[in-house]
Amino acid sequence: NSANIGVTATIVNTGSGYTLMFSAEKTGVANAINISVSDNDGDDTDNTGLSQLINANMNETVAAQDATIAINGLAISRSDNVISDVIDGLTLNLNSADPGVTQTITVSRDTSEAQQAVQDFVDLYNSLQDVFDILGSYGNSPTEEDPVSGSLKGDATLRMLKQQVREMVSQPVAGLTGAVRSLADVGIKTNLDGTLELDTAKLQQALDADPEAVAKLFGPSLTATDPLVSYLGSNDKTPEGTWDLFISAAAEQAVLTGAVLGGSGSITLDGSNNTLEISINGTASTTISLAQGTYTQDELAALLQSAINNETNIAAAGGKVSVRYDSANDRFELATDRYGSQASIELTGGTALTSGVLGFSVGDSDTGVDVGGQISDPVTGNTYTFTGEGRRVRVSDYALDGLPKGLEFNVEGSATGNRGSITFSRGVAARIVNAFEQWMSAEGVVGQKLESLNDKQR
């Protein structure tokens, strides 16, 4: 046990004697236990000395195996009974096996937080109207104790701000399409006094029909004509607008394709061809020992993937690969989970390579490719040339005016050339917050006005 090799040895009292039991600390085929001995008499196959431990008296009571499930008919295997990388946002805890029985998983969306967030927006907007009323109140005048009340009464600036805010909540959000484009579409109406009122039933209908559209109405979003382009983020420098997107280089994973195997329908691993050393994304593995046995090509692909992804160094660094058997071309293929120039695979050693059993050789390597291209403003003609990080693109805060400064988005797919247009919108809530921050800044219209009033008070 002190060797810390992933196996625990225990002495068990069976009632009729004592038995030595070995148990793997981790589940899955890649963590199967293989025991070999080296006797002083030079014969490791007889039933004397240490040889008797494995040849006559050792029985496998529970064979190592991967968890195997089928989701909508698609067979999936994992080395662990906790599966979190199959369905986005869903973790499956496999407690027991029930072969042949189909279980139905129903996932429902909790919209209570969204309902509360929209109500909070309405309440905050109405509070802003109260502030406007206090600033413009004709019934009060600023005093030393209350320098705010009535401080902007009759001021054209206040009337302008109130009008701008009301336009923000009454007009459709540019760039949005479909049934949700304005606050009225989600049950928010403007009363005669300028305050907002929420119809929760209509909001619920909108959330049930298209929750993503509701989110885009209130917050920053990117609408792209290409469904493989998705929004990641933005900042206060990002302008609303529409731009053309051109991709000169699509992001790629690091991929290794093995040689044609040219063998039978099964592959046998034994002590002469079952070790592997590999580097994933710059992280070198220890020597990986693949469980000895006879496998189909698909079984061996699953074993190899599990063994690499569960190797201590690679797992700690977050590295991950997929391994598949290409039956049409009779060869194995390794691919990193990561895309871009930071993704890499290098095969560095092991008998599984030198023996040729996998179709790969020592020194085989590949590096991924970052997405690259241009964003152009159809109005000014200004362009921004980028090299991304994997599939992620971030436009510099110092890009030319008219371009989407600070915009971050993801570009998937292998297509190059024109990829349509992208439209950025702040959404109603984000638009009001951004405008309010600008107004209240030292250079903003309200900030300057209040500073002037403070000077008069002093």
Side-chain angles (χ1 to χ4, degrees):
N1 293 336
S2 61
N4 194 27
I5 58 174
V7 176
T8 300
T10 308
I11 301 296
V12 179
N13 185 350
T14 64
S16 59
Y18 291 90
T19 297
L20 176 63
M21 181 174 69
F22 295 104
S23 302
E25 295 176 355
K26 294 183 179 180
T27 57
V29 172
N31 296 298
I33 299 174
N34 292 286
I35 301 176
S36 60
V37 299
S38 179
D39 263 349
N40 290 334
D41 61 8
D43 186 353
D44 299 335
T45 61
D46 59 15
N47 292 324
T48 61
L50 286 176
S51 300
Q52 64 183 311
L53 180 65
I54 61 171
N55 295 322
N57 299 313
M58 182 66 70
N59 296 310
E60 185 177 51
T61 56
V62 179
Q65 66 179 20
D66 290 333
T68 302
I69 62 174
I71 298 179
N72 291 338
L74 178 64
I76 296 167
S77 64
R78 293 291 186 272
S79 62
D80 199 284
N81 290 320
V82 179
I83 302 177
S84 59
D85 60 350
V86 174
I87 302 174
D88 285 345
L90 186 65
T91 297
L92 302 176
N93 294 289
L94 308 181
N95 297 317
S96 62
D98 201 357
V101 177
T102 300
Q103 306 290 342
T104 300
I105 300 174
T106 302
V107 180
S108 59
R109 186 183 300 273
D110 182 3
T111 60
S112 59
E113 290 188 6
Q115 281 268 8
Q116 186 59 52
V118 175
Q119 183 63 61
D120 290 344
F121 165 77
V122 170
D123 293 341
L124 286 171
Y125 178 87
N126 291 339
S127 297
L128 178 60
Q129 296 303 306
D130 291 340
V131 172
F132 284 155
D133 290 342
I134 292 171
L135 289 172
S137 173
Y138 277 91
N140 297 294
S141 296
T143 64
E144 186 174 342
E145 292 77 19
D146 182 10
V148 174
S149 296
S151 58
L152 295 180
K153 62 184 177 183
D155 194 295
T157 299
L158 181 61
R159 291 194 299 272
M160 177 193 70
L161 297 182
K162 292 176 69 174
Q163 181 61 30
Q164 287 183 4
V165 170
R166 289 182 179 179
E167 289 177 355
M168 289 180 190
V169 299
S170 62
Q171 295 177 351
V173 174
L176 298 187
T177 58
V180 178
R181 299 180 59 240
S182 68
L183 293 182
D185 296 328
V186 296
I188 298 177
K189 69 175 183 178
T190 303
N191 296 319
L192 293 176
D193 61 358
T195 60
L196 299 181
E197 184 177 337
L198 174 63
D199 180 342
T200 56
K202 188 170 183 179
L203 172 60
Q204 188 61 54
Q205 290 176 354
L207 287 169
D208 291 340
D210 194 344
E212 184 178 349
V214 177
K216 287 183 176 181
L217 176 66
F218 287 94
S221 66
L222 186 72
T223 302
T225 55
D226 187 331
L228 296 180
V229 177
S230 57
Y231 175 73
L232 292 177
S234 57
N235 60 28
D236 59 358
K237 294 182 175 63
T238 311
E240 293 185 308
T242 298
W243 303 271
D244 296 324
L245 177 64
F246 179 87
I247 298 299
S248 56
E252 296 179 6
Q253 302 157 284
V255 178
L256 289 182
T257 301
V260 174
L261 298 175
S264 63
S266 62
I267 297 175
T268 298
L269 297 182
D270 54 32
S272 68
N273 64 357
N274 72 324
T275 63
L276 175 68
E277 294 169 12
I278 188 171
S279 176
I280 302 297
N281 304 333
T283 298
S285 74
T286 57
T287 298
I288 299 171
S289 294
L290 302 173
Q292 297 179 27
T294 299
Y295 303 93
T296 66
Q297 287 88 341
D298 287 331
E299 289 172 340
L300 185 53
L303 171 68
L304 186 58
Q305 176 176 306
S306 179
I308 294 172
N309 291 340
N310 285 290
E311 192 280 327
T312 304
N313 294 348
I314 292 173
K320 188 175 291 187
V321 298
S322 62
V323 182
R324 74 180 188 95
Y325 171 64
D326 178 1
S327 58
N329 295 293
D330 188 28
R331 60 192 182 188
F332 289 113
E333 180 182 280
L334 278 70
T336 56
D337 181 59
R338 180 184 294 181
Y339 284 74
S341 59
Q342 297 301 308
S344 64
I345 302 177
E346 183 180 4
L347 303 179
T348 56
T351 55
L353 302 179
T354 56
S355 66
V357 69
L358 300 178
F360 296 106
S361 301
V362 175
D364 286 350
S365 64
D366 190 46
T367 301
V369 176
D370 293 317
V371 65
Q374 285 185 334
I375 298 171
S376 58
D377 183 353
V379 177
T380 65
N382 289 338
T383 61
Y384 177 79
T385 302
F386 61 82
T387 297
E389 182 179 326
R391 296 185 291 193
R392 173 180 171 272
V393 177
R394 186 186 188 283
V395 181
S396 169
D397 289 349
Y398 303 100
L400 294 175
D401 289 342
L403 293 169
K405 303 176 183 181
L407 181 65
E408 296 181 50
F409 57 94
N410 214 48
V411 181
E412 298 183 30
S414 59
T416 56
N418 293 320
R419 295 285 290 266
S421 63
I422 55 175
T423 299
F424 174 72
S425 170
R426 290 197 169 278
V428 178
R431 188 182 295 172
I432 291 176
V433 169
N434 189 61
F436 193 75
E437 289 176 347
Q438 291 180 2
W439 295 338
M440 297 303 295
S441 68
E443 296 79 21
V445 290
V446 177
Q448 291 180 353
K449 185 71 67 174
L450 292 177
E451 181 62 27
S452 175
L453 291 172
N454 288 334
D455 290 342
K456 291 180 180 179
Q457 290 289 327
R458 289 194 288 265

